[in-house]
Amino acid sequence: MSKPVIITCAPTGGIHTPTMSPHLPVTPSEIATAAIEAAEAGASIIHLHARDPETGKPDPRPETFMQFLPIIKQSTNAVINISTGGGLGMTIEERLRAATTASPEMASMNMGSLNFGIFPMAEKYSDWKHDWEKPFLEMTRDFIFPNTFQTIEYALKELGDGHGTRFEFECYDLGHLYNLAYFVDKGLIKPPFFIQMVFGILGGVGADLDNLMHLHTIAQKLFGDAYEWSVLAAGRHQMSFATQSAMLGGNLRVGLEDSLYIGPKQLARSNADQVRKIRSIIENLGHTIATPEQARERLALKGGDLVKF
Ligand code: KMH
Ligand code: ZN
């Protein structure tokens, strides 16, 4: 019998832009509602970014996060995970500030530098809601998402040692598993750690099932039973990769951060719709879903009463 599946939902992210979907949560109230509904639908972890309420641009300010974090916490028992990936182009200081202010149970940690090409999405639109959107996407032709050993070590110490925050280690390629192994060997990352394998970002590993199998095989060799793993695939591979992960005994992530769609050419009307869809698929396959308490126990989280919001 496999373990209950931990569903993470990432409601808004910092990649898609308001022109792409009227359902992308932007304001604090929209983000709070999306998070609460996703938790009610079965997500045990909510991965959060903030956006400027006026323009929808990714916004690193702790004040913006603080407009929705307490509301989500009061209304759900879900684990709150704050992104340190932020929005492409933010400094590492900007990326860490919300998490070091809020001291969450979890934060994301991107495990290597990579090209992060979201410029092909710009070709699909001609009428933009906001001026920033097109240049933001276009600039990624010449953009490296920086996550050096030094910045990873700094963030692990600041947030991990300083706040007792544990991490969603985002690995976009095989080498990122070896970067993670380096920090495990140094004793800076301790089990049980949570690996989020990311497929389908231009610049990272492609959404091919052979890649999923290979990354999982290598993770097993490197980490044995010291870790929990989860899978997200960007765009149209989201649901099939999430399903595969559950079938292989892993966990999964959905949410409008990773895909705006619920089916072919059909925009998701809400994050909760995506959670309900994957939940129904995996329950029909005989799996159960993890509660937030089960996720906390398996990932050795500090508990919702030790956060600062
Ligand atoms: N948007 C995902 C591909 C983060 O927030 O740290 C990666 C992500 C990064 O979730
Ligand atoms: Zn994110």
Side-chain angles (χ1 to χ4, degrees), residues 15 47 49 83 85 108 110 116 170 172 198 201 253 257-258:
I15 290 174
H47 166 117
H49 295 239
S83 169
S108 68
N110 293 272
F116 206 114
E170 316 238 7
Y172 301 75
V198 181
I201 296 291
R253 177 169 125 176
E257 169 162 353
D258 305 328

Side-chain angles (χ1 to χ4, degrees), residues 178-189 193 222-223:
Y178 288 89
N179 296 348
L180 182 62
Y182 163 79
F183 286 108
V184 173
D185 289 346
K186 273 197 78 182
L188 285 170
I189 295 175
F193 45 87
L222 290 171
F223 308 122

Side-chain angles (χ1 to χ4, degrees), residues 222-299:
L222 290 171
F223 308 122
D225 56 11
Y227 75 110
E228 288 268 355
W229 63 294
S230 177
V231 167
L232 81 84
R236 67 195 164 89
H237 300 283
Q238 181 184 55
M239 292 291 164
S240 57
F241 268 61
T243 307
Q244 274 299 335
S245 179
M247 288 172 71
L248 292 166
N251 304 291
L252 60 93
R253 177 169 125 176
V254 293
L256 271 59
E257 169 162 353
D258 305 328
S259 169
L260 294 171
Y261 291 85
I262 189 84
K265 298 199 167 106
Q266 199 188 344
L267 287 175
R269 297 183 64 80
S270 72
N271 279 272
D273 279 353
Q274 288 186 345
V275 175
R276 278 189 286 271
K277 177 164 178 169
I278 194 65
R279 178 181 183 167
S280 128
I281 293 170
I282 63 174
E283 285 181 342
N284 277 307
L285 291 169
H287 297 273
T288 57
I289 60 160
T291 63
E293 280 320 316
Q294 287 170 323
R296 283 190 174 90
E297 197 186 322
R298 276 162 54 189
L299 305 180

Side-chain angles (χ1 to χ4, degrees), residues 143-158:
F143 175 72
I144 296 168
F145 182 35
N147 299 287
T148 65
F149 288 100
Q150 183 169 298
T151 55
I152 293 169
E153 181 164 341
Y154 172 74
L156 286 173
K157 288 183 174 158
E158 276 287 304

Side-chain angles (χ1 to χ4, degrees), residues 3-22:
K3 289 189 267 190
V5 178
I6 298 172
I7 299 180
T8 299
C9 180
T12 188
I15 290 174
H16 293 125
T17 71
T19 294
M20 298 174 185
S21 171

Side-chain angles (χ1 to χ4, degrees), residues 104-150:
E105 289 183 86
M106 285 188 91
S108 68
M109 184 71 70
N110 293 272
M111 287 313 291
S113 304
L114 68 155
N115 289 341
F116 206 114
I118 56 174
F119 56 90
M121 286 194 283
E123 288 163 17
K124 293 209 241 162
Y125 306 91
S126 46
D127 286 335
W128 298 92
K129 264 192 199 155
H130 304 284
D131 291 346
W132 65 271
E133 296 177 72
K134 192 174 179 201
F136 174 77
L137 299 167
E138 291 285 5
M139 71 89 181
T140 65
R141 264 180 216 284
D142 191 24
F143 175 72
I144 296 168
F145 182 35
N147 299 287
T148 65
F149 288 100
Q150 183 169 298

